[in-house]
Amino acid sequence: MMMKSLKMTVAALALSAGAAQAADVEVLHWWTSGGEAAALNVLKQDLEGQGIGWQDMPVAGGGGTEAMTVLRARVTAGDPPTAVQALGFDILDWGNQGALANLNELAAKEGWDDVVPEALQAFAKVDGKWISAPVNVHSTNWVWANKSVLDANGIAVPTTWDEFTAAVETLKAAGVTPIAHGGQAWQDATVFDAVVMSTGGADFYKAAFVDLDEDALGSDTMKEAFDRMAYIRANVDENFSGRDWNLATAMVINGEAGFQMMGDWAKGEFLNAGKVPGEDFLCFRFPGTGDTVTFNADQFMMFDQGGTVSSEQAALASAILSPSFQIAFNKVKGSVPARTDVDGSDLDACGQQGMKDLAAAASSGKLFGSMAHGHAAPAAVKNAVYDVVTAHFNGEYDSATAVQELVDAVSIAQ
Ligand code: BGC
């Protein structure tokens, strides 16, 4: 009797474990805004079409800081999710710890080495092993504008910092909030990426954020970048503090503000609201950064579930890299494909510009990883930059103090 029930229990357990493993992927991600959720659905549906179920594990918070905290807790508890959205140095970190499954067999079969750009492979492989599947390429040096607001105030697309400040002054005089912004550390830092690039140029950005050169970090040019951040702070509305990025995008969509400086995930919000690029809204590179791109790429890391890659993980990775998915997903997400061999003619005007800018910046040596989104320096340095930038943005430091704090914080974080 006891034997029989024990056998039944074992059989039931095997069945339920088998069912969970064979049918589901658990995916941890931070795509919780309307536009992001619409893009995520493209992936969910692709997998569902293959009979693979989706256990959703959303952790809100742009830039993924909160998601990474939840991930660490899950891994510490010995229960990592099947697949996890991640950025740049975080992926390398988990890969170097040996926590990620080796995707080489699939990558070789599908020829990933030939189609994924070098700049992305640098964050998708450790010791020659593919450890994550690149979904897209975003970039952070964009501005999003409400076209009717600009037209009504006679404002042309600004291409230099001076033209930008002139446009801001015009909007302010007309009683329109010039800049929509959410006061969260990662959003302040996203703006800072573009401001540093615009103020100092490509070599300066690289010296400061990629090489972490003390002279660049402590320079007068960096002080000027902080002064420009203070100008931006002076031209956001009074309720900016703590606002989510997509609510700032909504202010531009609704004509309550002129501009938002944000990565191209913002386009997903415009599209989700039924808005058309060139008609309802404009996308352009942050003034003064026209020929450069500060990029970040979302990837899905596959956690090692104790052996080889599971068939669900392989199916997810394969779906992510398929050319048709790359176009279908990135059209909705606002990013551009993570493969160089897909035809982008189906993308809207902003997407096509994004692809063109990316290719041009890559070939002219002006493509750099985003500091704010984990592609310029490891997490400890990124977090140190966040702290200083956000403290300055909120008036805790003047620009000269911020420069000194930045030098010190980056040095301690290394
Ligand atoms: C991710 C985007 C995401 C954005 C806001 C970025 O770090 O790369 O995919 O849409 O954060 O949540």
Side-chain angles (χ1 to χ4, degrees):
M1 179 69 185
M2 227 180 96
M3 197 56 200
K4 192 174 164 206
S5 69
L6 187 67
K7 267 191 199 154
M8 277 177 61
T9 313
V10 171
L13 272 176
L15 201 74
S16 66
Q21 276 167 18
D24 284 344
V25 286
E26 190 197 10
V27 185
L28 193 156
H29 63 88
W30 64 93
W31 285 335
T32 55
S33 77
E36 291 173 328
L40 193 69
N41 259 335
V42 177
L43 184 56
K44 277 187 198 167
Q45 280 163 9
D46 193 312
L47 286 183
E48 273 161 19
Q50 302 183 48
I52 297 171
W54 180 283
Q55 282 180 37
D56 208 32
M57 176 84 192
V59 181
T65 308
E66 289 79 2
M68 291 301 105
T69 305
V70 170
L71 173 62
R72 277 190 296 277
R74 288 282 304 263
V75 174
T76 307
D79 178 30
T82 322
V84 179
Q85 178 193 358
L87 298 172
F89 279 89
D90 288 333
I91 301 169
L92 299 182
D93 200 20
W94 286 109
N96 284 322
Q97 289 180 41
L100 304 181
N102 181 347
L103 302 172
N104 270 6
E105 209 180 301
L106 178 69
K109 192 169 116 216
E110 299 188 344
W112 295 1
D113 277 308
D114 301 328
V115 295
V116 175
E118 291 283 316
L120 263 54
Q121 288 194 31
F123 294 107
K125 287 164 105 174
V126 156
D127 298 333
K129 268 189 299 191
W130 279 91
I131 46 161
S132 63
V135 184
N136 61 6
V137 187
H138 272 301
S139 58
T140 56
N141 57 323
W142 285 105
V143 182
W144 307 90
N146 181 301
K147 186 169 183 309
S148 341
V149 170
L150 262 52
D151 288 350
N153 289 284
I155 296 171
V157 166
T159 58
T160 62
W161 176 255
D162 287 347
E163 285 174 15
F164 178 65
T165 57
V168 165
E169 296 305 322
T170 303
L171 290 177
K172 192 158 56 179
V176 179
T177 298
I179 298 167
H181 182 68
Q184 296 175 344
W186 75 272
Q187 293 187 61
D188 302 340
T190 301
V191 175
F192 196 56
D193 269 3
V195 167
V196 167
M197 180 65 89
S198 168
T199 310
D203 291 345
F204 179 76
Y205 181 95
K206 177 174 180 293
F209 282 172
V210 180
D211 303 336
L212 308 179
D213 174 67
E214 276 203 12
D215 290 342
L217 290 167
S219 63
D220 287 347
T221 307
M222 192 58 85
K223 179 173 172 296
E224 168 75 15
F226 276 111
D227 284 343
R228 291 183 179 190
M229 291 298 286
Y231 178 80
I232 290 168
R233 163 66 187 88
N235 286 287
V236 302
D237 70 314
E238 61 182 16
N239 298 319
F240 80 101
S241 187
R243 175 189 287 137
D244 286 333
W245 67 272
N246 51 314
L247 301 182
T249 312
M251 290 170 66
V252 178
I253 293 175
N254 299 333
E256 291 160 41
F259 302 113
Q260 182 187 23
M261 286 92 109
M262 188 43 64
D264 39 14
W265 45 90
K267 192 184 77 180
E269 299 305 301
F270 285 94
L271 300 181
N272 199 43
K275 303 296 179 191
V276 178
E279 286 176 25
D280 304 308
F281 69 97
L282 303 173
C283 58
F284 54 93
R285 291 291 171 184
F286 189 94
T289 70
D291 59 348
T292 59
V293 170
T294 46
F295 81 98
N296 63 298
D298 292 303
Q299 304 202 40
F300 280 97
M301 318 186 275
M302 304 297 163
F303 270 79
D304 193 337
Q305 310 278 329
T308 52
V309 178
S310 73
S311 56
E312 299 76 33
Q313 287 176 317
L316 176 59
S318 177
I320 287 172
L321 264 300
S322 88
S324 56
F325 169 81
Q326 286 279 327
I327 288 292
F329 176 88
N330 286 304
K331 262 167 83 171
V332 182
K333 184 69 174 63
S335 36
V336 301
R339 300 178 61 119
T340 49
D341 64 337
V342 291
D343 176 8
S345 52
D346 225 19
L347 297 176
D348 62 32
C350 299
Q352 295 202 19
Q353 188 190 334
M355 275 186 87
K356 216 172 81 215
D357 291 351
L358 184 67
S363 66
S364 65
K366 292 194 169 178
L367 175 65
F368 300 99
S370 154
M371 168 56 83
H373 294 266
H375 283 72
V381 172
K382 179 188 89 169
N383 292 333
V385 173
Y386 273 24
D387 288 349
V388 176
V389 169
T390 218
H392 171 267
F393 202 78
N394 289 300
E396 267 177 62
Y397 305 142
D398 63 16
S399 297
T401 311
V403 167
Q404 196 47 53
E405 292 288 335
L406 188 67
V407 171
D408 293 348
V410 168
S411 150
I412 291 167
Q414 289 181 70

